């Protein structure tokens, strides 16, 4: 049978049983045909979980006969037959320590040293070695060296991807070969639009591992190109792409829109780790995607019993961070409470604290578990686990404690001892927008005439820092900011820049929402000054008029 007819028949077969029966009928096969048969077997018998029928394949007499020929006649094989067989056998999970694999690798390395391999051969060998645990770095570097003899600008997408993977494995963060990487980054930019979902994901992952933070044009191009591939990425590929967006700090609105279309309908078949990464992406980018969050909530209600504790935390925390309750909130937090009752001891201290803190941000109070959280035993565990009871953890504990005092008056369990409390909350997501803050202060000075009538960045006994505070007496007249007697009303002006809201939204982040809620419960009159209400006010006089209407609405239009 000639090669063309052989491969046409081979590719029409869909099970290893059919392939073995066909091979029995072929009297003479070239090594290319035999290696092609091994490749076809690997295509039909290997899926994401591995080899489907190990015994039926590896113990089959035809398969063993093929392996025997490749093992003992490796020096007589063509380059294509040798390298295709090696690639297929590695994919079929043949023992990498076996003499079969050792002989094929040894013969390949010898031909590499003797410069007998084409660029296509180098690609196949590189891909095979990368699949083996503990590949020879010297051999990988030799492949890259030989690859460079061909102009990088003429490398195919497959060749470019393979070299990125080799560099990722062989040189860590890429400092040793930055010149080569810089040339590859420039060349890849010209072929970015040709890359398949698999190649796009692999190259983005390599750029992360190799810390290519200066390759901004390539990163942007690949991130934009990845948008059209969102429906076609495997779980692992999508995780690589999301990690790249997070690592490089990049955000594409059209990528988020593609996720919103793809993820809700794909969640039932997605691995929980992939969903966790999608949630991490939304959380760190402060993206309030209701379609994704609603679908994730439904998935949690149905499947959370099979999740790891880390996955549970990654599913839930973004709801608190983004200050969002899905339509199924009652069932969602009911499910969470049931899991906590049965698996409480399985959670690591810091992840548990993070989980419960995120709940109180959106007014879901874990009162049944707070006695354990405030217990000396748990606090000792928290201190013993890195990073210990740092400022971030102490801030979360203190806010839980304050929430209990203000919003759960029926709680009668242990309290948080003063030695574990912070002086001021740590709120990294809700820092002041300095430019907006200066504009508001100038407008306030224009309105109040004197600087003595307001103070800025004021520490309180309640752990919160006020952006601006104004004091009034019982008749509503302003008092000097330094005066402590006869204060009847305290006005807390919250100067909310873009960073205190979810992206492209008027929804406050959880950290700021709980602060304003608590300040009201503590007796402050909270006046919110959001960026979207004042960004169009260009003059100091316009800002003063706006502040007058917000702070003193009863006198607005009647003079101060």
């Amino acid at each position: 049978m000639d090669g063309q007819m052989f491969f046409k028949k081979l590719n029409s077969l869909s099970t290893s049983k059919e392939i073995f029966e066909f091979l029995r009928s072929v009297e003479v096969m070239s090594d290319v045909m035999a290696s092609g048969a091994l490749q076809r077997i690997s295509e039909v018998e290997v899926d994401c979980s591995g080899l489907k029928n190990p015994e039926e394949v590896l113990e089959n007499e035809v398969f063993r006969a093929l392996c025997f020929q490749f093992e003992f006649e490796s020096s007589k094989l063509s380059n294509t037959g040798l390298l295709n067989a090696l690639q297929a056998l590695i994919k079929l999970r043949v023992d990498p320590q076996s003499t079969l694999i050792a002989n094929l690798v040894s013969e390949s390395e010898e031909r590499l040293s003797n410069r007998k391999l084409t660029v296509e051969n180098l690609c196949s060998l590189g891909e095979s070695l990368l699949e083996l645990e503990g590949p020879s770095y010297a051999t990988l570097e030799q492949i890259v060296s030989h690859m460079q003899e061909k102009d990088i600008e003429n490398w195919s997408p497959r060749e470019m991807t393979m070299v990125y993977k080799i560099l990722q494995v062989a040189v860590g963060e890429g400092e040793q070969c930055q010149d080569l990487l810089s040339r590859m980054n420039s060349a890849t930019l010209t072929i970015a639009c040709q890359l398949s979902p698999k190649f796009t994901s692999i190259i983005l992952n390599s750029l992360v591992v190799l810390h290519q933070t200066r390759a901004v044009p390539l990163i942007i191009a690949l991130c934009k190109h990845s948008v059209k591939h969102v429906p076609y990425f495997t779980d692992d590929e999508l995780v690589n792409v999301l990690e790249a967006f997070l690592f490089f700090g990049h955000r594409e609105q059209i990528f988020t829109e593609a996720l919103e279309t793809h993820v809700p309908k794909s969640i039932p078949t997605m691995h929980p780790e992939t969903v966790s990464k999608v949630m991490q992406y939304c959380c760190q980018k402060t993206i309030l995607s209701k379609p994704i969050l609603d679908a994730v909530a439904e998935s949690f209600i149905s499947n959370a019993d099979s999740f790891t504790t880390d996955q549970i935390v990654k599913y839930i925390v973004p709801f608190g961070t983004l200050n969002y309750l899905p339509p199924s909130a009652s069932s969602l937090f009911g499910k969470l409470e049931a899991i906590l009752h049965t698996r409480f001891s399985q959670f690591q201290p810091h992840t548990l604290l993070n989980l419960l803190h995120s709940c109180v941000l959106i007014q879901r109070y874990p009162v049944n578990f707070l006695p354990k959280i405030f217990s000396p035993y748990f606090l000792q565990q928290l201190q013993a686990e890195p990073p210990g009871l740092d400022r971030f953890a102490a801030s979360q504990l203190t806010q839980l404690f304050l929430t209990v005092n203000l919003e759960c008056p029926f709680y009668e369990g242990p309290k948080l001892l003063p030695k574990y409390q912070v002086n001021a909350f740590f709120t990294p997501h809700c820092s002041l927008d300095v430019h907006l803050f200066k504009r508001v202060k100038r407008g306030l000075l224009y309105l109040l005439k004197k600087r003595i009538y307001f103070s800025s960045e004021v520490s309180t006994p309640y752990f919160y820092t006020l952006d601006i505070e104004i004091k009034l007496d019982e008749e509503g007249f302003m008092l000097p900011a330094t005066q402590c007697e006869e204060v009847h009303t305290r006005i807390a002006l919250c100067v909310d820049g873009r960073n205190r809201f979810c992206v492209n939204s008027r929804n406050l982040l959880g950290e700021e929402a709980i602060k304003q809620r608590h300040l009201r419960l503590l007796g402050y009159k909270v006046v919110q000054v959001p960026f979207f209400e004042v960004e169009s006010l260009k003059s100091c006089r316009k800002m003063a008029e706006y502040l007058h209407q917000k702070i003193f609405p009863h006198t607005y239009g009647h003079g101060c």
Side-chain angles (χ1 to χ4, degrees), residues 220-420:
I220 292 173
L222 290 175
C223 287
K224 287 184 175 179
H225 179 62
S226 67
V227 172
K228 71 177 186 180
H229 290 324
V230 167
Y232 311 107
F233 284 129
T234 65
D235 276 11
D236 288 343
E237 288 166 0
L238 181 57
V239 166
N240 282 345
V241 173
L242 290 168
E243 284 179 342
F245 271 90
L246 292 169
F247 180 82
F248 293 115
H250 191 66
R251 180 167 56 223
E252 282 287 342
Q253 179 60 28
I254 52 174
F255 180 79
T256 302
E257 291 167 4
L259 284 179
E260 287 183 334
T261 301
H262 172 67
V263 171
K265 62 187 179 187
S266 304
I267 278 182
T269 58
M270 272 185 170
H271 193 280
E273 277 302 312
T274 309
V275 180
S276 297
K277 187 60 67 174
V278 171
M279 290 295 273
Q280 183 186 354
Y281 171 80
C282 291
C283 191
Q284 289 191 20
K285 299 288 186 185
T286 63
I287 296 168
L288 177 58
S289 171
K290 293 182 181 180
I292 291 176
L293 292 173
D294 291 349
V296 168
E298 293 294 340
S299 173
F300 186 91
I301 294 164
S302 303
N303 306 305
D305 289 325
S306 62
F307 292 172
T308 67
T309 53
D310 278 346
Q311 288 165 355
I312 290 167
V313 173
K314 288 174 182 174
Y315 269 62
I316 296 296
V317 164
F319 288 98
T321 302
L322 302 173
N323 186 29
Y324 177 67
L325 285 171
S328 59
S330 178
S331 299
L332 174 66
F333 288 95
K335 183 69 174 181
L336 176 61
E337 184 171 11
I339 288 173
L340 285 171
H341 274 298
T342 57
R343 300 173 62 184
F344 188 89
S345 61
Q346 296 176 16
F347 287 83
Q348 293 298 310
H350 281 277
T351 55
L352 182 61
L353 176 60
N354 200 21
L355 175 65
L356 299 185
H357 177 260
S358 69
C359 292
V360 300
L361 295 179
I362 43 178
Q363 296 177 275
R364 288 297 181 269
Y365 311 111
V367 287
N368 293 327
F369 308 102
L370 291 179
K372 294 181 181 179
I373 295 295
F374 294 148
S375 72
Y377 174 71
F378 180 82
L379 296 172
Q380 286 172 3
Q381 283 186 308
L382 204 59
Q383 287 174 310
E385 181 191 77
L389 193 53
D390 60 1
R391 185 184 173 197
F392 183 70
S395 186
Q396 289 184 320
L397 277 170
T398 308
Q399 198 158 42
L400 274 172
F401 172 66
L402 182 62
T403 301
V404 167
N405 286 341
L406 293 177
E407 303 183 62
C408 307
F410 49 85
Y411 174 75
E412 296 179 350
K415 307 293 185 182
L416 184 68
L417 297 175
K419 68 178 181 179
Y420 297 113

Side-chain angles (χ1 to χ4, degrees), residues 3 68 85 148 196 210 249 287 347 357-358 382 408 450 490 522 556:
F68 184 87
Q148 289 184 76
S196 66
L210 293 163
I287 296 168
F347 287 83
H357 177 260
S358 69
L382 204 59
C408 307
K450 292 182 179 180
R490 293 177 183 269
L522 287 164
Y556 182 72

Side-chain angles (χ1 to χ4, degrees), residues 187-243:
T188 305
L189 184 58
T190 65
I191 61 170
C193 61
Q194 303 171 32
L195 297 174
S196 66
K198 179 180 179 181
F199 291 167
T200 302
S201 169
I202 289 172
I203 292 177
L204 276 171
N205 181 240
S206 295
L207 293 174
V208 170
V209 175
L210 293 163
H211 286 213
Q212 295 300 289
T213 52
R214 296 180 185 176
V216 177
L218 175 59
I219 292 160
I220 292 173
L222 290 175
C223 287
K224 287 184 175 179
H225 179 62
S226 67
V227 172
K228 71 177 186 180
H229 290 324
V230 167
Y232 311 107
F233 284 129
T234 65
D235 276 11
D236 288 343
E237 288 166 0
L238 181 57
V239 166
N240 282 345
V241 173
L242 290 168
E243 284 179 342

